């Protein structure tokens, strides 16, 4: 299709990542098609309004706005999530955390699961779908993010099993009358060291929420309290699952060992072979 080719070239000149894919996804989005239909209907003329909407999106993409913010949707664990610039775009490597949570929770009847820093709710909702008897408590410091997570919970039909709470890390969970401890605590907290901020791609740095990424001088600002305080909220032998940066494995393992609150601690690698997930099993 000529319009896709023209847009691809425009994106190439603007040094946009994945120029062809971006062009196809945006055009399909404006026309309400999937990408295959774009090619089966390639002779179709585009209406004036659709063309105007498409041009608007192309200009924004040319300025580096991520495609998923432009379409307002991101796929995670084969579920469709609404995303806005108030939430981080879910990353495929975070599926490792969800798979592990489902594996660990599947042996427990009605497991109680906490998700700290839920963002668009991708972890909490995917766990709710994977563990149909689970009850989930999902927190975030950001009210707008919680609004998006609630919308997504309605769309995925799991809202009845998830409580959304605003506040700092574990603080909103400490005030709860129940559950009496969590079987699983998960979090993909901010973990980018501030000195590395400038090395991130402009697409991330200029468009995704800083509050979802930046984590103090060493990237451990949130990981350390999440590890140190987990034993106050975990049930005996409950599990703490934390996504980490690829070079943080040995430091978070040392923090977990220092607490003496865990009987087993391991770091799992993502599908790219990088350290990505701390799994710590609480004492009896
Ligand atoms: C890396 S994002 C993860 C979002 C989502 N869970 C995911 O996996 O894509 C971190 C999230 O933590 C939230 N956050 C940042 N500081 C926080 C804090 N002190 N307490 C609770 N949540 C916080 C951010 O608003 C953001 O939604």
């Amino acid at each position: 299709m000529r319009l896709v080719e023209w847009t691809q070239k425009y994106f190439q000149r603007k040094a946009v990542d994945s120029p062809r894919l971006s062009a196809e996804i945006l055009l399909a989005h404006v026309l309400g098609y999937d990408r295959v239909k774009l090619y089966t209907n390639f002779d179709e003329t585009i209406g004036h309004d659709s063309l105007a909407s498409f041009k608007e999106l192309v200009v924004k993409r040319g300025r580096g706005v991520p495609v998923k913010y432009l379409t307002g949707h991101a796929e995670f664990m084969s579920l469709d999530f609404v995303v806005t610039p108030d939430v981080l775009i879910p990353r495929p490597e975070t599926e490792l955390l969800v798979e592990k949570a489902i594996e660990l929770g599947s042996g427990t009847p009605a497991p109680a699961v906490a998700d700290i820093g839920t963002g668009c709710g991708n972890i909490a909702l995917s766990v709710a779908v994977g563990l149909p008897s689970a009850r989930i408590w999902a927190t975030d410091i950001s009210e707008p993010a919680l609004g998006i997570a609630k919308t997504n919970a309605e769309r995925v039909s799991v809202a009845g099993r998830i409580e959304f709470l605003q506040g700092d890390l574990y603080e909103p969970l400490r005030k709860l009358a129940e559950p009496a401890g969590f079987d699983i605590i998960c979090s993909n907290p901010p973990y980018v060291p501030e000195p590395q901020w400038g090395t991130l791609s402009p697409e991330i740095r200029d468009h995704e929420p800083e509050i979802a990424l930046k984590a103090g001088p060493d990237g451990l600002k949130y990981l350390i309290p999440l590890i140190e305080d987990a034993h106050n909220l975990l049930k005996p032998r409950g599990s703490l699952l934390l996504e980490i940066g690829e070079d943080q494995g040995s430091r978070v393992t040392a923090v977990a060992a220092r607490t003496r609150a865990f009987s087993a601690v391991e770091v799992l690698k993502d599908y790219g072979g990088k350290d990505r997930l701390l799994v710590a099993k609480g004492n009896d």
Side-chain angles (χ1 to χ4, degrees):
M1 190 183 243
R2 282 226 312 278
L3 187 55
V4 170
E5 273 150 30
W6 180 89
T7 309
Q8 177 184 3
K9 285 185 188 132
Y10 173 78
F11 285 160
Q12 278 163 342
R13 285 199 302 280
K14 296 270 173 190
V16 163
D17 273 352
S18 313
R20 177 82 187 189
L21 189 63
S22 295
E24 289 177 359
I25 292 173
L26 293 179
L27 187 57
H29 171 71
V30 162
L31 296 175
Y33 292 173
D34 60 29
R35 276 172 52 225
V36 176
K37 193 166 168 202
L38 206 59
Y39 285 94
T40 51
N41 289 45
F42 65 92
D43 280 335
E44 198 176 301
T45 2
I46 291 167
H48 180 267
D49 289 353
S50 297
L51 191 59
S53 308
F54 179 65
K55 278 183 180 165
E56 210 174 294
L57 295 180
V58 167
V59 169
K60 288 185 181 163
R61 181 70 188 128
R63 292 185 186 136
V65 179
V67 169
K68 287 170 184 164
Y69 287 148
L70 295 173
T71 62
H73 292 267
E75 190 185 305
F76 181 84
M77 294 292 293
S78 304
L79 297 169
D80 175 49
F81 288 87
V82 167
V83 290
T84 72
D86 282 320
V87 296
L88 191 85
I89 295 168
R91 306 296 203 264
E93 56 267 29
T94 304
E95 295 191 350
L96 176 67
L97 186 159
V98 172
E99 284 160 5
K100 193 70 191 171
I102 293 171
E103 179 195 315
L104 289 167
S106 57
T108 308
V113 181
D115 173 30
I116 314 301
T118 198
C120 72
N122 52 315
I123 295 175
L125 275 57
S126 306
V127 170
V129 170
L131 295 173
S133 70
R135 284 195 62 202
I136 320 259
W137 284 259
T139 79
D140 207 291
I141 196 99
S142 156
E143 277 289 2
L146 285 171
I148 304 291
K150 285 179 197 165
T151 301
N152 282 321
E154 298 286 347
R155 296 178 82 239
V156 180
S157 306
V158 292
R161 286 189 290 124
I162 307 186
E163 200 165 320
F164 293 97
L165 303 160
Q166 193 268 333
D168 182 29
L169 299 182
Y170 292 136
E171 178 251 341
L173 302 179
R174 291 201 184 94
K175 299 176 189 157
L176 292 174
E178 57 104 34
F182 293 91
D183 297 282
I184 300 171
I185 296 176
C186 323
S187 182
N188 172 18
Y191 57 73
V192 176
E194 276 171 31
Q196 280 179 24
W197 186 249
T199 67
L200 299 180
S201 77
E203 199 164 312
I204 299 175
R205 217 173 47 215
D206 298 343
H207 300 283
E208 297 209 66
E210 253 185 60
I211 194 180
L213 293 161
K214 267 191 187 169
D218 57 3
L220 303 181
K221 179 175 173 187
Y222 303 101
L223 284 164
I224 290 178
L226 285 169
I227 298 168
E228 287 184 340
D229 299 343
H231 66 279
N232 293 317
L233 290 149
L234 277 178
K235 282 185 187 163
R237 276 172 285 126
S239 299
L240 174 67
L241 306 181
L242 297 178
E243 183 166 317
I244 58 167
E246 60 186 75
D247 55 358
Q248 294 169 340
S250 57
R251 281 176 293 158
V252 294
T253 305
V255 175
R258 204 169 64 205
T259 64
R260 300 180 187 280
F262 302 103
S263 56
V265 176
E266 61 177 332
V267 170
L268 304 184
K269 293 192 187 298
D270 62 22
Y271 301 112
K274 294 176 177 159
D275 282 356
R276 188 61 63 201
L277 183 65
L278 177 81
V279 182
K281 190 95 183 150
N283 290 331
D284 288 344

